Amino acid sequence: MGDSYIYKNQKKLRWGYTTGTCAAAASLAAAVMLLQGRRMEQVSLTTPKGIRLDLEVEEMDPGENSVSCGVRKDAGDDPDVTDGLMVYSQIRLPDADSGDAGCA
C-alpha cells in the first residue's frame, strides 16, 4: 500500500489496515502454503472498499498437517491498541479420525 493519507479535520493522517484484513492475509498465506506448498512472503488482497494491499507475512510455521502465519497490524495514525501486534491464522487439514475441518 505504501504510505497513503487522508485528511480529517484538516489533519493529514496515514492510512492503516484493520485487524480483519490482517487475519484475512494471514489465512490466505497459510492456506496457499498448506495446499500448494509455496512459501508466501507477501500476499495481495483487496479490501471491501476496493483498496488493493500487499501485506508482508512476517511469521510462517509449517507443521505436519497445518500451517500458521502471522501478519503485523499497522493501524496507521489511528490510535488503535492493536497497532503493531501480530495477527495469526492457522489452517490445518482435516483429521481423518475426527472429521474436523480445521480453521483456527
Side-chain angles (χ1 to χ4, degrees):
M1 174 169 96
D3 281 342
S4 296
Y5 297 90
I6 187 170
Y7 285 89
K8 185 174 182 178
N9 298 328
Q10 300 177 345
K11 290 180 80 175
K12 183 179 178 180
L13 302 174
R14 188 175 61 83
W15 284 7
Y17 32 88
T18 67
T19 305
T21 296
C22 295
S27 296
L28 175 59
V32 169
M33 288 177 64
L34 181 63
L35 299 174
Q36 296 181 1
R38 292 186 310 149
R39 286 182 59 82
M40 298 295 294
E41 306 281 334
Q42 186 177 51
V43 295
S44 296
L45 53 82
T46 303
T47 69
K49 287 189 175 184
I51 300 167
R52 183 181 166 102
L53 298 174
D54 296 312
L55 300 179
E56 181 181 351
V57 180
E58 291 189 26
E59 294 189 22
M60 294 167 262
D61 184 19
E64 187 173 323
N65 291 316
S66 68
V67 175
S68 176
C69 289
V71 172
R72 188 165 308 277
K73 168 75 180 275
D74 179 355
D77 287 332
D78 185 23
D80 186 329
V81 297
T82 63
D83 185 47
L85 295 179
M86 290 295 292
V87 178
Y88 293 92
S89 178
Q90 180 185 54
I91 305 292
R92 56 188 157 85
L93 293 174
D95 183 357
D97 296 333
S98 71
D100 182 17
C103 258

